[in-house]
Amino acid sequence: MEQFDVAIIGGGSAGLSALKKLSDLNKSAILIEAGNSIGTKNVSGGILYSKKDPQGRIYNVEDVFGSDFLSNAPVERLIKKYLLHATSKNKIFTIDMTPLHEYKTNFAYSVLLNRLTPWFAELASESAEKHGGGIITGVHVSDIQWTDNKTIVRTNELEEFAVRSIIAADGINSEIAQITSARGKFTPEEVYFGVKVIIKLPEKIIEERFHLDSTEGSAHLFAGDVTLNHVGGGFLYTNRDTLSLGAVYHYNSLLSNPVAPSQLIDELIKNPLISEYIKDEVTLRNGNEGLSKEDQLKVHLGVSKLIKTYNELRDKYFSNNNMKLIESGKFRNLEEVKSKIDSIKHDLNEKFGVQFVNNYVELEFSAKLIPDGKRCMMKKPHFKNILFIGDAAGRGIFIGPKIEGLNVGIDDAVRAAIAISRSIDSNNFDSDYLGNYYESLVNESPYTREMSMIDENYLNLFLELVKDIPMGAIDPRLSFGLQVIKNKHLRGISLRLANYLGYNRILPLIESEKTYVQIPMLLANKLGETVNSTFVPSIPTLPDRIANLQYDDDSESHIIVNDKRSEFMRKLILLCPTKCYSLEGKDVMLQHEGCVECGTCSIGTIWKHPKGEKGIRYRYG
């Protein structure tokens, strides 16, 4: 039987960071990933932060992957603006939250994980192979057993092997946690639900529309009527040549007021501000009903080829690398490129009746659960010789506009690698030695403090940003709170009182429908500006969104329904993002083939990840 010092389960940013750090510490480790390649199972909002904190050390992405990370990594845009938009129909009130975004921040980049994590994997694998380790993809861990002083790992695809320690980086729906009973499944009260679409938009159009330079990006948050009366909000992040548009809501709020996840996205798209942000010139084909089937096929193929050429050339023309078109020798200057684009456009219109209209283009639909660390972080993120990191340990920061996860997982990964390296050197993998030491390292992390206590400085900065908003005139019931905000002495007392009371008593006041829906709508109605969109978006249906996804279906379902008649499963008929559940008679039935592996149904089912290489394959993440 093969034996390894360390097996890391899960090939996301946290798992890859653990592999890279262990290798840098001259330790051998293997990483097991169920996807057919690194990145195909990873989804994030997403912004990757590098943070600093005067009260403790934070391990950032550049600490793991090198100081040249910023110049080499396939990140999207450096986020320089952070705006919160309160919405009520076509009225928008915007608050600049950039100082909150910059608080304790070295830098923050928008990212797409199927671009970034393969780059992480390349560096981690190169380093790991020098010490006899590496990455194995397409393998799903199915069981872990402790026999004869050995830890045995079983998979669906490989012969069983022995390890001395394990790092569980297999996400919020961690099977390692369930297999070992290290923790129970997270409840709806402990998690958020996120749904996202990737929208195509050329680079230079993004920069012109959002008032950015070639490297800068902006992040936009939305609250008010776009939430459809749920606790949470929308987000829009600028990537290099795409936009990430999504909604994140407390799962318990969705269960209380079930709405289809695709409807949450649709509501954002219909907002006039967002419609104007995402619009682009797209092609609209006319039918060829008068032609024979053979001629229709010829026209279809001809038009498809011409549209593809037009889109590719237009995207390159509106990119920051458009001079490569000249360097290739095909064109003498950019004016010639523009002339060619106009010529193709003319031919499409005149010869084939193709129209050019304002709309937008969706590239990918995705969904996932997100841990709310202040509610569900594992107090003891270890079990025997297994260490849990990132989402698998329930560690994420959610408080108002502050949303962080990727950076938390990377920090955890480094601490886990340090703890395991110590155990290897001492040849001691007992839980008291390995687990307790890792727990102490995690407790030293500033992120743990943020998940345990209200950051008074952050909250004070937020109150400073909103203190001049005339909320008392909007709603007299807010006048007392406004006086507290404006009076620094009273504010200081209130902040200390808030921490004395703790998250458990304060959260019902902060995370409420009034905070996320009613007050933003009041602000928009009373103080907002009217925004009108020049077009009505043609939104894809859910079947269209699902048809655009890539799967390698498994005939055997990775989900088993516990109670086909439970109230929870009936709500899943609406809440499952890809409509995997339907009602037949009195029973809720599952069709697993369209599953995006978000785990939304996990609490009411026997839920596993699909076998290696099976299931969803995200192209953007």
Side-chain angles (χ1 to χ4, degrees), residues 270-291:
K270 289 185 287 187
N271 180 274
L273 178 63
I274 296 175
S275 293
E276 287 298 296
Y277 276 148
I278 67 176
K279 75 175 180 181
D280 194 14
E281 183 182 79
V282 302
T283 55
L284 179 65
R285 303 190 194 195
N286 289 326
N288 299 296
E289 291 80 5
L291 301 177

Side-chain angles (χ1 to χ4, degrees), residues 376-592:
C376 70
M377 70 168 174
M378 294 175 68
K379 299 297 186 289
K380 291 185 173 295
H382 56 90
F383 179 81
K384 293 188 177 181
N385 55 346
I386 300 176
L387 308 183
F388 293 86
I389 65 175
D391 283 8
R395 291 172 57 77
I397 296 172
F398 266 81
I399 182 69
K402 190 171 190 177
I403 305 171
E404 298 176 24
L406 295 174
N407 46 306
V408 178
I410 291 171
D411 182 69
D412 286 355
V414 173
R415 296 173 193 276
I418 291 171
I420 285 181
S421 177
R422 172 177 175 265
S423 284
I424 292 173
D425 291 342
S426 303
N427 194 29
N428 187 344
F429 294 88
D430 289 344
S431 181
D432 288 344
Y433 187 80
L434 171 61
N436 289 347
Y437 180 61
Y438 171 60
E439 182 182 337
S440 71
L441 292 178
V442 168
N443 287 338
E444 290 173 3
S445 172
Y447 292 138
T448 302
R449 187 175 62 254
E450 288 192 46
M451 287 177 246
S452 306
M453 297 177 62
I454 297 168
D455 186 336
E456 292 183 26
N457 293 327
Y458 179 85
L459 190 53
N460 188 61
L461 181 57
F462 174 80
L463 295 176
E464 191 68 23
L465 290 173
V466 301
K467 69 180 176 63
D468 293 326
I469 298 173
M471 288 184 288
I474 295 171
D475 186 345
R477 292 170 295 180
L478 300 174
S479 58
F480 175 74
L482 187 64
Q483 293 304 315
V484 170
I485 290 173
K486 287 189 173 183
N487 186 303
K488 289 190 176 181
H489 177 68
L490 291 176
R491 190 197 302 174
I493 294 173
S494 298
L495 293 175
R496 288 191 293 273
L497 176 62
N499 244 333
Y500 173 77
L501 293 173
Y503 273 136
N504 290 339
R505 295 181 182 177
I506 294 298
L507 285 178
L509 301 176
I510 298 175
E511 297 183 339
S512 65
E513 186 178 324
K514 184 171 185 177
T515 303
Y516 284 89
V517 183
Q518 296 171 10
I519 291 177
M521 288 181 67
L522 285 169
L523 287 170
N525 285 324
K526 296 289 186 178
L527 304 175
E529 296 182 358
T530 300
V531 176
N532 293 309
S533 180
T534 58
F535 81 112
V536 177
S538 179
I539 301 175
T541 64
L542 181 59
D544 287 338
R545 285 170 167 154
I546 297 171
N548 195 38
L549 294 172
Q550 295 181 354
Y551 296 92
D552 186 352
D553 291 331
D554 189 349
S555 58
E556 182 181 345
S557 177
H558 58 286
I559 302 171
I560 299 173
V561 179
N562 286 326
D563 184 352
K564 296 180 180 180
R565 299 189 178 186
S566 72
E567 181 183 355
F568 175 79
M569 294 309 303
R570 285 178 176 269
K571 290 182 178 180
L572 258 294
I573 295 170
L574 190 59
L575 288 178
C576 173
T578 48
K579 296 289 184 185
C580 291
Y581 294 96
S582 60
L583 192 63
E584 294 185 14
K586 295 182 179 180
D587 293 341
V588 176
M589 305 301 292
L590 165 68
Q591 298 83 37
H592 73 279

